[in-house]
């Protein structure tokens, strides 16, 4: 007999998943999902071989009855599996969990219960609406679709009422509250897609709530807050006012390299689509790399210089192949081109001796690199494991400074396969609000495999050389990072987005994302 864990998935934001929930997902053999629970979240934390079961709808596309859902859960546990029943929001709040618990008890299936962040509190918080204030006398949470709701009990002027349900149910609930004596002018706020980057909140009155509900997306549950606390939204709104809120940003980079960019974009309210433009492959002939690594161990080099995370990975893989570890770097001076590369070395247990403080590039590394001193340096040779397409700037500069350089091809970069047709169409049609280019090669390769971004798409570049390449390909650069690193690039894009938003507000207009304003001729380089 297996076991079932009833786990709250939270209201939508993956960041609101509890630590215990992630631990159980990592152990799960089977995950039984609710209608709106995110399969993407499951793939992030669960094993690749986990079985996903849809408890929302049957094979005919119709919603499953609660008894049928219970059978799905019990069936998995009886097969000896560790089952996670992932439920929207908090499993104890309007989920129908009672029937499933009873089914487990009847079948003798052991179970436990892991609370989740409830939409009741989380969605208003993300909408900037505190549920209580100094004048609040009570807080009422109501299933708007309930058949026997005493609306008069929720009509008190000092109470905050949270309504959950379908748009149709909320429209009827708003009318019922007015009929029960709640003033039609009572402030109200309606939120759809709460805590996600597609969240939308409409501030209105109880009288206007019915129409707002009818205008909402009928395919998803909605939440409304009724009470004077809604007036606090003007000061408390924080999520929907993020500078890149709702923006869809294209990141032409490999998934291994895009982590810092996507995380930073999410902090500013954006979602990311990572499109690999290059594929990293081993060198065609490994002998040169093998000879250099053996020379590293035998004391051939004074320095080793890493100009990318891929170079760190390539050397580390060769070490593993030869049965070596970080101890082989003893007595060797290590240089890293920037913070990201240095972090990859530290993850390996190696603290770099040299990292440029200002310009984090091959040029910056060369400026910081000390010249060869025949008195202080017992060996005059440098090992540079690099890409096959690396420029000669660093090698030539080191040679001028007196060093002998073994410039070794540690990996090859080849153009990746074109992205799927929907992604290519999104790039060309302007469905992306922005694209962030972190190197000249990402510009060339993206245009080569997917075409030019739409004129409405904001183009952000990490440095002048990348911007020059973008302009050579007919793109107008809107954002240039003040420093050549990913965080500075994303922050510059966020500042640009904030300026667009403020400009619209100053003009008395509703702020729109670039994709909502698409149109016009293709961008031309200035």
């Amino acid at each position: 007999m297996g076991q079932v864990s009833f786990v709250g998935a939270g209201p939508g934001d993956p960041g609101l998943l509890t630590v215990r929930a992630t631990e159980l997902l990592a152990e799960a053999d089977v995950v039984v999902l609710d209608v709106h629970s995110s399969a993407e979240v499951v793939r992030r934390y669960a094993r690749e071989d986990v079985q996903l079961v849809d408890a929302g709808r049957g094979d005919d596309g119709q919603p499953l009855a609660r008894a049928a859902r219970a059978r799905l859960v019990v069936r998995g546990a009886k097969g000896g599996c560790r089952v996670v029943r992932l439920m929207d929001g908090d499993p104890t709040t309007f989920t129908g969990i009672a029937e499933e618990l009873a089914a487990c008890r009847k079948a003798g299936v052991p179970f436990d219960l892991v609370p989740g962040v409830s939409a009741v509190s989380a969605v208003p918080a993300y909408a900037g609406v505190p549920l209580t204030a100094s004048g609040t006398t009570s807080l009422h949470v109501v299933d708007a679709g309930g058949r026997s709701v005493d609306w008069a009990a929720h009509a008190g002027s000092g109470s905050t009422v949270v309504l959950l349900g379908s748009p149709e149910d909320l429209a009827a609930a708003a009318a019922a509250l007015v009929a029960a004596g709640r003033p039609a002018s009572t402030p109200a706020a309606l939120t759809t897609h709460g805590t996600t980057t597609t969240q939308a909140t409409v501030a209105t009155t109880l009288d206007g709530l019915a129409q707002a509900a009818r205008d909402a997306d009928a395919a998803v549950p909605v939440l409304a807050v009724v009470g004077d606390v809604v007036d606090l939204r003007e000061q408390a709104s924080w999520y929907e006012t993020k500078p890149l809120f709702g923006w869809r940003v294209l990141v032409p980079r490999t998934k291994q390299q895009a982590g810092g960019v996507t995380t930073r974009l999410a902090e500013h309210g954006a979602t990311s689509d990572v499109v690999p433009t290059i594929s990293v492959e081993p060198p065609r002939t490994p002998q040169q790399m093998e000879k250099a690594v053996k020379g590293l161990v035998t004391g051939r080099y004074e320095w080793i210089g890493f100009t990318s995370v891929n170079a760190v990975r390539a050397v580390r893989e060769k070490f593993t192949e030869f049965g070596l570890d970080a101890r082989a770097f003893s007595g060797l001076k290590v240089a890293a081109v920037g913070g990201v590369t240095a972090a990859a070395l530290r993850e390996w247990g190696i603290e770099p001796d040299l990292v440029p403080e200002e310009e984090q590039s091959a040029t910056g590394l060369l400026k910081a690199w000390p010249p060869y001193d025949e008195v202080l340096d017992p060996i005059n040779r440098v090992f540079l494991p690099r890409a096959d397409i690396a420029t000669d700037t660093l090698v030539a500069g080191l040679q001028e400074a007196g060093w002998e350089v073994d410039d070794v091809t540690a990996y090859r970069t080849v153009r990746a396969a074109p992205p799927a047709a929907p992604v290519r169409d999104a790039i060309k049609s302007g469905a992306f609000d922005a694209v962030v280019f972190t190197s000249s090669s990402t510009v060339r390769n993206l245009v080569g495999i997917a075409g030019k971004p739409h004129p409405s798409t904001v183009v952000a570049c990490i440095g002048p050389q990348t911007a020059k390449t973008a302009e050579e390909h007919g793109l107008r650069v809107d954002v240039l990072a003040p420093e050549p690193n990913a965080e500075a690039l994303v922050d510059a894009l966020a500042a640009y987005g904030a300026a667009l938003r403020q400009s619209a507000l100053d003009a008395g207009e509703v702020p729109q994302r670039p994709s909502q304003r698409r149109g016009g001729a293709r961008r031309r380089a200035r």
Side-chain angles (χ1 to χ4, degrees):
M1 184 68 73
Q3 180 171 338
V4 177
S5 294
F6 293 88
V7 176
D13 182 352
L16 295 181
L17 208 64
T18 65
V19 173
R20 182 56 178 154
T22 62
E23 293 172 348
L24 288 170
L25 284 171
E27 299 170 1
D29 302 306
V30 178
V31 178
V32 182
L33 292 164
D34 260 354
V35 178
H36 302 289
S37 297
S38 175
E40 180 182 351
V41 169
V42 176
R43 294 189 184 96
R44 180 185 302 183
Y45 295 107
R47 303 193 311 265
E48 291 186 2
D49 62 345
V50 70
Q51 179 185 353
L52 299 184
V53 178
D54 185 1
R57 299 183 184 279
D59 295 337
D60 57 358
Q62 297 300 311
L64 286 178
R66 290 178 176 178
R69 296 182 188 180
R71 285 194 292 271
L72 288 175
V73 173
V74 170
R75 187 183 307 147
K78 280 190 171 182
C81 295
R82 182 65 185 264
V83 179
V84 167
R85 174 67 171 97
L86 198 62
M87 310 186 85
D88 297 334
D90 177 74
T92 64
T93 308
F94 299 122
T95 58
I97 191 175
E99 289 83 351
E100 297 183 31
L101 292 175
C104 288
R105 181 70 70 188
K106 182 178 180 180
V109 173
F111 61 84
D112 56 10
L113 190 63
V114 180
V117 177
S118 174
V120 171
S121 57
V123 174
Y126 272 54
V129 180
L131 292 179
T132 61
S134 57
T136 306
T137 58
S138 59
L139 174 62
H140 302 207
V141 180
V142 183
D143 179 2
R147 296 182 180 179
S148 56
V149 178
D150 180 7
W151 293 106
H154 311 297
S157 59
S159 65
T160 298
V161 181
V162 179
L163 301 170
L164 303 127
S166 68
E168 295 82 2
D169 291 336
L170 260 69
L177 277 173
V178 173
R182 193 78 187 246
S185 59
T186 303
L190 179 81
T191 302
T192 56
H193 301 279
T195 78
T196 71
T197 54
T198 57
Q199 173 178 304
T201 301
V202 177
T204 180
T205 62
L206 185 55
D207 193 36
L209 182 59
Q211 186 59 50
R214 285 191 287 269
D215 293 339
D217 184 353
V220 296
V222 292
L223 182 146
V225 179
V226 178
D228 292 338
V229 291
V230 174
D231 287 337
L232 299 174
R233 172 175 159 77
E234 187 173 343
Q235 288 78 36
S237 181
W238 63 276
Y239 186 58
E240 293 175 44
T241 55
K242 286 190 173 187
L244 299 178
F245 178 76
W247 283 42
R248 184 183 178 191
V249 180
L250 177 66
V251 181
R253 230 175 173 194
T254 62
K255 288 186 177 180
Q256 294 85 349
Q257 295 175 314
V261 175
T262 57
T263 300
R264 196 74 167 187
L265 284 167
E267 291 174 358
H268 290 298
T271 57
S272 308
D273 283 46
V274 178
V275 175
T277 57
I278 62 170
S279 176
V280 177
E281 299 181 1
R284 288 191 175 89
T285 55
Q287 289 82 3
Q288 187 186 24
M289 184 67 170
E290 291 172 357
K291 179 181 178 181
V293 170
K294 291 177 181 177
L296 183 152
V297 176
T298 57
R300 175 179 171 82
Y301 302 105
E302 178 77 6
W303 282 90
I304 180 171
F306 292 97
T307 57
S308 70
V309 173
N310 287 327
V312 176
R313 187 177 296 115
V315 172
R316 191 169 182 176
E317 288 175 353
K318 192 59 67 175
F319 266 46
T320 301
E321 181 181 330
F322 289 162
L324 302 172
D325 58 30
R327 289 175 292 181
F329 282 84
S330 177
L332 190 68
K333 296 176 183 176
V334 181
V337 73
V340 176
T341 305
L345 285 167
R346 293 187 184 105
E347 184 182 343
W348 192 7
I350 300 167
E351 181 62 36
D353 301 280
L354 176 65
V355 182
E357 293 183 359
E358 297 180 359
E359 182 180 352
Q360 298 189 352
S361 65
T363 301
L365 183 59
L366 182 60
K367 290 178 180 178
W369 204 299
Y372 170 67
D373 189 315
E374 60 182 10
V375 176
L376 299 177
D377 297 314
I379 305 171
N380 71 338
R381 191 172 295 276
V382 176
F383 173 25
L384 283 185
R386 303 198 297 164
D388 58 332
I389 60 171
T391 62
D392 294 330
T393 303
L394 182 57
V395 174
L398 289 174
Q399 289 172 339
E400 289 180 8
W403 297 99
E404 292 188 23
V405 182
D406 283 357
D407 185 15
V408 177
T409 298
Y411 61 95
R412 293 182 301 120
T413 56
V414 299
R415 182 176 289 179
V423 176
R424 296 200 303 270
D425 293 341
I427 293 172
K428 296 176 183 178
S429 66
F432 286 103
D433 297 290
V435 56
V436 290
F437 290 117
T438 54
S439 67
S440 293
S441 61
T442 58
V443 178
R444 291 189 293 266
N445 291 335
L446 180 71
V447 173
I449 65 176
K452 295 180 182 179
H454 189 272
S456 67
T457 304
V458 174
V459 176
C461 295
I462 200 167
Q465 187 58 49
T466 303
K468 180 181 178 182
T469 303
E471 291 173 344
E472 289 173 351
H473 283 77
L475 302 174
R476 187 183 71 220
V477 177
D478 302 289
V479 178
L480 185 64
E483 301 175 15
N485 62 70
E487 287 189 356
L489 173 60
V490 176
D491 290 348
L493 177 61
Y496 181 87
L500 284 182
R501 175 183 173 81
Q502 190 59 50
S503 178
L505 293 173
D506 292 343
E509 301 172 353
V510 177
Q512 289 184 311
R513 300 189 303 276
S515 61
Q516 295 172 314
R517 297 182 286 109
R518 71 184 81 173
R522 178 169 293 282
R523 294 181 183 271
R524 298 288 181 185
R526 292 177 291 181

